[in-house]
Amino acid sequence: ADLMFIDLHTHSHYSDGLPSVSQIEEHCLRTGMGVSLTDHNQIRGSVILSQRERISCLPGIEVGTREGLEFLVYFPDAGRLEDYYVHAVEPYLLSRFLVRSHIPTMECLDIARDMGAYISLAHPFAFGRKSLDFQDRSRKTCESFVEDVVSRVDAIELFNGGVPAKVNRRAASYL
């Protein structure tokens, strides 16, 4: 069987990426890659790619939570992604912050799970609030927070091109 490479964490100009949806699509057509367009708290690009049906794509979003963790949330179709956005992202958006919202982490994960999503913890040891280390230190009264998060995700991102190599190595050795 032929292998297909799929980038599961890509941003467009709809959040903090540079390429347009068309540029991402053209790159995928040229290289034979698939993609999940996971803009920060935004689904426009992912829905557009899904509707065009020109490349292999998995509808997705990167959701930032109140606590600072970010999750890559994938759905089998754009309709379910839109439903998730309406229920779990849009009502919690913060006008001043692209990558965060005020949805609590556990609520974000539970709604996604109830809606049939596949969930990955993005860049688990990135800097600041995004790090599991920060979560461990800041939640001393609730030591099980990180364990609860990890138990609710299907995957943990091991490689992210936007973080230093040592952060990726730490993710790869986690658990």
Side-chain angles (χ1 to χ4, degrees):
D2 290 332
L3 285 178
M4 172 177 258
F5 291 94
I6 301 173
D7 186 334
L8 294 172
H9 189 167
T10 301
H11 299 301
S12 74
H13 66 91
Y14 284 114
S15 67
D16 61 344
L18 295 175
S20 69
V21 172
S22 294
Q23 288 172 318
I24 292 168
E25 185 177 60
E26 290 304 317
H27 175 78
C28 289
L29 288 168
R30 239 184 357 270
T31 62
M33 284 184 61
V35 70
S36 184
L37 186 48
T38 52
D39 282 315
H40 288 281
N41 297 323
Q42 176 56 252
I43 63 169
R44 285 182 286 185
S46 191
V47 170
I48 289 168
L49 274 180
S50 293
Q51 289 173 340
R52 287 186 186 176
E53 297 182 343
R54 293 183 68 208
I55 62 170
S56 293
C57 64
L58 180 63
I61 185 171
E62 183 171 4
V63 181
T65 63
R66 176 187 299 166
E67 292 81 1
L69 292 175
E70 294 176 359
F71 299 92
L72 302 165
V73 183
Y74 309 105
F75 289 91
D77 60 73
R80 281 201 243 179
L81 172 62
E82 290 180 78
D83 288 345
Y84 177 73
Y85 180 79
V86 167
H87 290 94
V89 180
E90 196 171 39
Y92 299 93
L93 291 176
L94 300 168
S95 59
R96 293 181 52 217
F97 296 102
L98 171 71
V99 299
R100 284 190 27 224
S101 73
H102 63 89
I103 190 169
T105 293
M106 297 310 171
E107 186 174 343
C108 169
L109 297 175
D110 290 345
I111 293 171
R113 175 74 54 232
D114 290 346
M115 296 181 83
Y118 186 88
I119 308 161
S120 178
L121 173 61
H123 35 66
F125 295 103
F127 302 111
R129 295 170 56 92
K130 296 179 182 187
S131 174
L132 290 179
D133 289 336
F134 175 88
Q135 300 300 325
D136 265 339
R137 286 190 309 275
S138 67
R139 307 227 174 328
K140 289 182 179 141
T141 58
C142 180
E143 287 100 11
S144 65
F145 179 79
V146 169
E147 290 173 19
D148 288 347
V149 167
V150 171
S151 74
R152 283 178 163 84
V153 298
D154 300 298
I156 296 175
E157 183 178 54
L158 299 183
F159 177 81
N160 181 299
V163 299
K166 69 179 182 176
V167 172
N168 287 327
R169 284 192 298 274
R170 176 96 191 276
S173 68
Y174 184 68
L175 296 182

